[in-house]
Amino acid sequence: MELDKSFDPHSIESCWYPFWEKEGLFKARNQSNTSPYSILLPPPNVTGTLHMGHAFQHTLMDALIRYHRMQGDNTLWQAGTDHAGIATQIVVERQLESQGLDRRTLGRDSFLEKVWQWKEHSGSTITRQMRRMGSSCDWERERFTMDEGLSKAVNEVFVRLYQQGLIYRGKRLVNWDPVLQTAVSDLEVISEEEQGFLWHIRYPIVNQPGQFLVVATTRPETLFGDMAVAVNPQDDRYQSLIGQYLALPLTDKHIPIIADDYVDSNFGTGCVKITPAHDFNDYQVGLRHQLIPINIFTKEAKLNEHVPTEFQGLDRFVARQKVLEQLESQGLLAESKKHTLMVPRGDRTRSVIEPMLSDQWFVKMEGFAQQALELVSSGQIRFIPENWTNTYNHWLTNIQDWCISRQLWWGHRIPAWYDENGNVFVAHSEAEAQSLAANKKLKQDDDVLDTWFSSALWPFSTLGWPDKTKELDTYLPTNVLVTGFDIIFFWVARMIMMTNHFTGKIPFQEVYITGLVRDAHGQKMSKSKGNILDPIDLIDGIDLESLVHKRTSNLMDPKQAKTIEKATRNEFPKGIQSFGTDALRFTFASLATHGRDIKFDLQRCEGYRNFCNKIWNATRYVLMNLPDHESTFEITPRTFGLIDRWMLSRLNQAIKEVREGFDTYRFDMASRSIYQLVWDEYCDWYVELAKTSLGSTDQDIQYATRYTLIHTLETILRLTHPLMPFITEELWQKIAPLMNRHDKSIMVAPYPEFTITQFDDQADKEISLLKELVNACRTLRSEMNLSPKDRVPLLIVGNTDNLHSFADHLAHLGKLSEVQYVDSQVLDNTTAPVAVVGDYKLMLKVEIDVDAEIQRLNKQIEKLTIEINKARQKLSNTSFVDKAPVEVVNQEKERLTQFEKQVTDLTVQVSRLKQ
């Protein structure tokens, strides 16, 4: 059976993924006679493209799904995308701007038509890219957070929570983006360190002419919203002033001096202006002291009617300068200092976020949070690594009510209607609301729900809730959620809350938190740094000019673009070569270490591309060495030779290690075991050893070796398939018929099982000795500068009973003309090079340079002496001897004995050479 000479990943990938989909191999079977195994795909934004974080996490999810599918489990990888309210609306609004259009001019209905058109045209980009990564989702069950079924679930949840008194409308402080003119979540706010100023402002004390409290602030433009000045109750400087009043600068208002532990006496002047409508901490202080907040900003972050006339309509930063000028002219600006501060900016608009008091819809979180904490503390839900439980607990024990309304047009519109008197009617539909309102004239709430609201329902809304479906019974709870630490609170916790509240179940049994994919230098990947890698570029390759254009084309700052271009040209002078999907996936798996971010180095990709070539070439060798008459291996050999028993034992050990890796989410350990098995054991040793057996005149030995070659290779392909699906499918289709396997695809072939009876300690020991002897021979040849063509005799002293079983293999791999067993006197009376391996002495029978040989032996003695000193030091350490396991101490003693014996033998050899 022929196989192409070279491995071409693109031709393979383009062939097999369509085959898998056409054959329906990704479909969930929803069978009751098999164990369910399900994973939720964290729904990527419909606006998005596949980035390295996606590709990394999707690789791990797909590996788990394929692993369990091959075990016969009833698997479901639930796919879908999120409507991404803000992100999507921004994209479409920018498109309209380029056409000279505005959403407000179009009107809500026409604008939403444009959004849906765009979604249908461009919204499936990321799912197409996921297919390139080999993701085996059940695409027939793909959902969208605004499709009909999920919209029904969203409405049902909102109505029920409202009826249960868990959703309410109120005036609260929220993150306000003045450009988008909507509330945004904390996750959409990026706080960055920037250079600003700390201004010290004099607030006159009422009825004390010439007396002031000096207040330090970074935001003088908000003083019109000040409702008090606070000091620490333990601050002796201000004890006598607590309860008195201050004249609010630039106004005719008086505000009280209050005492609150929130104030840090050591910061600034120890006096803090309290602006409850525009600062989250101040808002809490205001609640404690019954201060009435006053909002001084419009939706555009301009000063409104609650400020003096001359400031009304000014942008907040323009107003800041005018306030400072007025304060200085009145002698109220005491000082200004440069000050480093954290500035909150919208992640999409980069505008400074304004804490804003506004009417919003909220979910009461206290009860939800308590239940969510208990589900984790009781062990029903487990975080991996476990330390993320602390993060989860911290967030939930400091929770605030959840603002779920957004001032957007794209999203799930809030199912609430108002009559002319402002009375609210929450209902599933307008008709139902009309019925509740006794057919009064109603207007629906203009706001939409936070995207995280619909995402919180993902575990059960995708399975058909609120209807009772077989999928809900079968696949909920899912087995594991694979996600990042940054959305533990925003998404993970809320899914736990909502799923438990509405279904009585947990959404998932385990939460596997992955690290962040960083560049090779440990830097976070970002467009502004110009260090982003596109996983599709790693699969297909990209030339330098295209890569430079990709990294710089959207940058507004020419200087920044130039810097990034230079860095890109230095790092990738020839662009990025094509690695193929399998090499990329195996790289991700090998880097998936618990609790660590990932430094992504392209050299790893290159190494695993070579690994793919290694598997390909090994398969070609095996197929080429099959006789024409031997088309299948239906009969297991009656006996196996030493090398066959060793290979089968090593294969069995690797199966155990890889399965443990998958079961414990140690993808790095699983990939390492596969790599060592394939490259080190099978290709570098067994295939080479097999060449001797295949040349044997004994037909039974030949058959056993060919069987082991085929069986091991076929098993390796099934073992590796979850991580490298394409190459394993291609090769397995060639190999499987030889082992009488007739599954349609490797995807549904059984995953290898390990068997305790297949461990062969004796074979492992003998082959370990053979390896040491071969390596010693190779070292001797290298040090003596022998050509590979020069086959020389090996003289060996030791217990020859252990060597007969592999003497032919030793001669083949050591490039020896023969192996001669001699007594020690023969080696004692020669000046030839000698190597010591355990109880054996080895000598290549050639003429040598005596001085060079003495020098070589002395170097070996020096190395062994270092090891002897280390072992003696360890054994003289009473702490080690007393605390280490007995077997570890005994092992160290054996090593010391062996090293000392080798030094003795080598020293004798040196003495003999000097005679």
Side-chain angles (χ1 to χ4, degrees), residues 185-356:
S185 70
D186 290 344
L187 188 64
E188 294 156 323
V189 177
I190 300 173
S191 291
E192 298 178 337
E193 191 175 272
E194 298 183 15
Q195 288 300 313
F197 288 89
L198 187 65
W199 290 279
H200 289 205
I201 302 172
R202 297 185 180 98
Y203 282 52
I205 302 174
V206 174
N207 297 326
Q208 294 188 30
Q211 298 298 309
F212 305 91
L213 269 191
V214 179
V215 175
T217 181
T218 59
R219 302 197 64 204
E221 70 276 11
T222 64
L223 68 78
F224 300 114
D226 290 358
M227 303 310 295
V229 167
V231 298
N232 191 289
Q234 307 304 319
D235 194 331
D236 293 335
R237 293 174 294 174
Y238 307 117
Q239 288 288 319
S240 63
L241 295 176
I242 296 171
Q244 296 191 42
Y245 283 81
L246 300 171
L248 184 61
L250 311 186
T251 74
D252 56 3
K253 291 171 55 178
H254 290 176
I255 58 175
I257 301 171
I258 60 174
D260 197 281
D261 290 328
Y262 158 69
V263 179
D264 180 359
S265 299
N266 296 317
F267 179 77
T269 62
C271 301
V272 178
K273 61 193 286 295
I274 303 301
T275 318
H278 299 289
D279 183 279
F280 287 99
N281 291 317
D282 291 3
Y283 182 76
Q284 296 300 321
V285 174
L287 290 177
R288 289 194 290 272
H289 295 271
Q290 293 82 49
L291 302 176
I292 300 173
I294 296 178
N295 180 19
I296 64 166
F297 290 120
T298 67
K299 293 179 179 180
E300 297 84 3
K302 296 179 179 179
L303 273 66
N304 64 17
E305 71 277 8
H306 295 129
V307 306
T309 306
E310 60 185 305
F311 294 96
Q312 291 178 15
L314 295 181
D315 176 82
R316 53 188 164 161
F317 298 117
V318 175
R320 173 182 294 178
Q321 295 307 313
K322 187 166 184 176
V323 166
L324 291 171
E325 290 170 5
Q326 293 267 15
L327 290 172
E328 188 164 23
S329 68
Q330 296 182 25
L332 297 178
L333 185 60
E335 187 180 8
S336 64
K337 295 181 179 178
K338 288 186 177 180
H339 178 67
T340 302
L341 67 160
M342 300 301 292
V343 178
R345 292 184 178 273
D347 65 344
R348 303 186 190 283
T349 63
R350 304 297 300 159
S351 64
V352 175
I353 294 298
E354 187 64 54
M356 187 84 78

Side-chain angles (χ1 to χ4, degrees), residues 459-460 465 472 476 497-507:
F460 56 98
W465 189 94
L472 271 169
L476 192 69
M497 295 171 187
M498 291 297 172
T499 305
N500 185 251
H501 186 79
F502 286 100
T503 70
K505 296 183 178 183
I506 55 175

Side-chain angles (χ1 to χ4, degrees), residues 320-564:
R320 173 182 294 178
Q321 295 307 313
K322 187 166 184 176
V323 166
L324 291 171
E325 290 170 5
Q326 293 267 15
L327 290 172
E328 188 164 23
S329 68
Q330 296 182 25
L332 297 178
L333 185 60
E335 187 180 8
S336 64
K337 295 181 179 178
K338 288 186 177 180
H339 178 67
T340 302
L341 67 160
M342 300 301 292
V343 178
R345 292 184 178 273
D347 65 344
R348 303 186 190 283
T349 63
R350 304 297 300 159
S351 64
V352 175
I353 294 298
E354 187 64 54
M356 187 84 78
L357 196 64
S358 64
D359 290 315
Q360 304 286 348
W361 289 90
F362 295 88
V363 178
K364 294 179 180 178
M365 298 304 289
E366 185 176 355
F368 279 118
Q370 188 58 44
Q371 184 62 27
L373 286 166
E374 290 174 4
L375 289 172
V376 172
S377 65
S378 66
Q380 295 181 61
I381 299 173
R382 187 168 71 98
F383 279 86
I384 302 162
E386 190 176 354
N387 61 287
W388 290 111
T389 304
N390 298 328
T391 301
Y392 174 86
N393 291 340
H394 173 74
W395 279 341
L396 289 188
T397 51
N398 294 276
I399 200 167
Q400 302 292 323
D401 285 355
W402 175 16
C403 175
I404 57 172
S405 48
R406 297 290 181 267
Q407 290 64 55
L408 303 171
W409 284 356
W410 172 245
H412 293 100
R413 197 165 178 181
I414 291 176
W417 286 260
Y418 303 92
D419 65 17
E420 294 176 343
N421 296 321
N423 298 309
V424 62
F425 302 92
V426 171
H428 298 87
S429 65
E430 185 173 2
E432 183 182 337
Q434 287 284 1
S435 177
L436 293 172
N439 293 318
K440 293 178 182 177
K441 183 179 180 181
L442 298 179
K443 182 181 183 301
Q444 188 173 359
D445 197 309
D446 285 327
D447 290 353
V448 299
L449 287 164
D450 176 13
T451 301
W452 294 107
F453 188 88
S454 50
S455 298
L457 318 184
W458 193 246
F460 56 98
S461 63
T462 52
L463 298 176
W465 189 94
D467 297 334
K468 292 183 178 180
T469 66
K470 187 176 180 182
E471 287 82 2
L472 271 169
D473 291 336
T474 304
Y475 297 115
L476 192 69
T478 60
N479 293 74
V480 62
L481 177 73
V482 180
T483 190
F485 70 90
D486 53 337
I487 52 176
I488 289 176
F489 173 68
F490 295 98
W491 189 47
V492 177
R494 287 166 178 169
M495 283 193 289
I496 293 173
M497 295 171 187
M498 291 297 172
T499 305
N500 185 251
H501 186 79
F502 286 100
T503 70
K505 296 183 178 183
I506 55 175
F508 25 73
Q509 297 166 5
E510 295 177 317
V511 182
Y512 173 47
I513 302 296
T514 67
L516 183 71
V517 181
R518 298 180 178 273
D519 69 13
H521 309 291
Q523 296 293 313
K524 185 176 180 179
M525 292 187 184
S526 69
K527 291 180 181 178
S528 61
K529 291 180 180 177
N531 60 350
I532 281 178
L533 291 172
D534 184 334
I536 304 302
D537 290 342
L538 301 184
I539 293 173
D540 294 338
I542 185 172
D543 64 82
L544 176 60
E545 297 308 319
S546 298
L547 180 61
V548 168
H549 176 75
K550 198 169 193 176
R551 287 184 163 186
T552 60
S553 59
N554 292 323
L555 297 175
M556 303 300 290
D557 184 349
K559 185 177 180 181
Q560 182 188 27
K562 197 70 178 176
T563 301
I564 290 173

Side-chain angles (χ1 to χ4, degrees), residues 103 144 152 201 205 332 450 481 504 578 581 592 650 656 673 795 830 872:
R103 70 177 170 98
F144 176 53
K152 176 182 176 183
I201 302 172
I205 302 174
L332 297 178
D450 176 13
L481 177 73
S578 165
T581 299
R650 280 296 304 121
K656 181 176 183 292
S673 295
L795 305 184
T830 183
R872 285 175 176 170

Side-chain angles (χ1 to χ4, degrees), residues 8 172 198 253 263 278 313 462 511 604 608 625 744 783:
D8 177 13
R172 295 282 295 275
L198 187 65
K253 291 171 55 178
V263 179
H278 299 289
T462 52
V511 182
R604 295 288 287 264
Y608 293 129
N625 279 275
K744 185 180 296 184
E783 292 175 348

